[in-house]
Amino acid sequence: MGSSKTLFFFALMAFTAMAVTPAFADTNEEDPGLVMNFYKETCPQAEDVIREQVKLLYKRHKNTAFSWLRNIFHDCAVESCDASLLLDSTRRELSEKETDRSFGMRNFRYIEDIKEAVERECPGVVSCADILVLSAREGIVSLGGPYIPLKTGRRDGRKSRAEVLEQYLPDHNESMSVVLDRFASIGIDTPGVVALLGAHSVGRTHCVKLVHRLYPDVDPALNPDHVEHMLKKCPDPIPDPKAVQYVRNDRGTPMKLDNNYYRNILDNKGLMMVDHQLAIDKRTMAYVKKMAKSEDYWAKEFSRAITILSENNPLTGTKGEIRRQCNMANKNHYKD
């Protein structure tokens, strides 16, 4: 009788263990990872909602598209594409948004608008990480760039990566070797790096980031015709970071994501040192010239690089969480 009870007890324990196994165990078979149309069953309208929200915001605020494009680089290049960039500071952690590398980034509040629209359709289903990536894709389209099919299924991180950010994001004054190495570490090769920097064809650069090329002496590498414009826009050797003092990255097609950037930097009109180096470094120069001649070639390499960037070490399955709000982890959601 005792042995029967013992057998029954072990059978019950085995059944209980099977019953509480999570739907997404950490196995390749049960965690699909990133896939096309991840939400086709759980929120089939998710991508359409994000697309419509990006279009609406672009009509009201043209510069949102620049922000979405910059977001994917600043988030996905730093350890994981997990929307850690969107987290606000807490008493224990500094937000990535508040670091020097994030200078000039804005429009984060509009990500919350997109999140709220998605939540109205499918509460608690779509991650902020996927919203960040898909809004970047739609922002690229808004700016006249290529449509890029991207996988979904990311989950949201719970912590800021501000402490390690500078190990991953190259600064605009870094050497080309550092820039290439940083991107190579996440699988983006040299033509991919050259194509990604083509994002500098839209938006603007704050004078803080380029006055070192104007004062105390003008960088002789700059096109003299362009210097006059830069000095007019940046009249102060020590500009106020909060002042509205900017230079358009591309005066020819400032609102179009295209290959005009490459023609500009070959003509010594690149604003930042990384732009200038891209045009003269022997490892990148040939790609710059090829992209200056062929917008199709640039678009192909740009799409490939964005895809690799968007798939950098994502949280999937049961890792991370689906945030209720994009600016805070769920554990802080109900805290004052």
Side-chain angles (χ1 to χ4, degrees), residues 75 81-83 86 127-134 154-156:
D75 186 66
C81 205
D82 67 349
L86 304 179
S127 69
C128 296
D130 277 340
I131 289 172
L132 182 149
V133 165
L134 294 177
R154 297 165 194 78
R155 288 169 64 85
D156 300 320

Side-chain angles (χ1 to χ4, degrees), residues 1 25 27 56 97 141-142 158 163 200 224 244 278 286 297 327:
M1 185 74 176
T27 65
L56 284 171
K97 294 181 284 191
V141 172
S142 296
R158 297 186 175 97
E163 288 185 1
H200 288 177
V244 184
L278 199 70
Y297 174 64
N327 66 334

Side-chain angles (χ1 to χ4, degrees), residues 174-210:
E174 302 272 23
S175 70
M176 190 50 59
S177 292
V178 169
V179 173
L180 293 174
D181 286 348
R182 295 277 173 88
F183 280 106
S185 70
I186 59 174
I188 298 177
D189 59 14
T190 301
V193 174
V194 176
L196 276 183
L197 284 171
H200 288 177
S201 73
V202 293
R204 55 192 188 175
T205 299
H206 197 286
C207 293
V208 165
K209 297 292 187 180
L210 53 86

Side-chain angles (χ1 to χ4, degrees), residues 6 9 129 159 170 218 260 267 295:
T6 303
F9 174 75
K159 64 177 184 177
V218 173
N260 203 44
D267 197 23
E295 188 159 326

Side-chain angles (χ1 to χ4, degrees), residues 11 17 51 72 81 120 132 140 152 169 172 174 177 193 251 257 272 296 317 322:
R51 182 176 300 113
I72 193 172
C81 205
R120 285 193 292 270
L132 182 149
I140 289 166
T152 43
L169 288 182
H172 60 96
E174 302 272 23
S177 292
V193 174
R251 294 170 66 192
L257 185 60
M272 295 182 286
D296 287 343
I322 304 297

Side-chain angles (χ1 to χ4, degrees), residues 233-295:
K233 293 291 186 179
C234 301
D236 304 314
I238 307 176
D240 179 356
K242 296 180 181 179
V244 184
Q245 292 186 326
Y246 295 91
V247 179
R248 287 281 184 191
N249 289 343
D250 177 0
R251 294 170 66 192
T253 56
M255 298 297 294
K256 191 172 190 306
L257 185 60
D258 58 16
N259 66 333
N260 203 44
Y261 165 77
Y262 303 101
R263 290 189 284 271
N264 283 336
I265 62 175
L266 288 170
D267 197 23
N268 295 318
K269 292 179 180 177
L271 298 181
M272 295 182 286
M273 283 305 301
V274 68
D275 302 321
H276 175 63
Q277 290 183 61
L278 199 70
I280 65 170
D281 192 284
K282 62 183 180 180
R283 292 164 292 185
T284 56
M285 187 190 304
Y287 298 113
V288 170
K289 290 179 177 178
K290 190 172 180 179
M291 289 178 194
K293 290 179 181 177
S294 172
E295 188 159 326

Side-chain angles (χ1 to χ4, degrees), residues 26 31-35 75-76 78-83 127 129-130 133 151-157 161 307-320:
D26 194 13
D31 174 3
L34 298 183
V35 295
D75 186 66
C76 296
V78 183
E79 288 192 322
S80 173
C81 205
D82 67 349
S127 69
D130 277 340
V133 165
K151 295 177 181 178
T152 43
R154 297 165 194 78
R155 288 169 64 85
D156 300 320
R161 300 182 189 276
T307 300
I308 295 169
L309 184 62
S310 75
E311 296 177 7
N312 182 33
N313 193 29
L315 303 179
T316 59
T318 55
K319 296 173 184 174

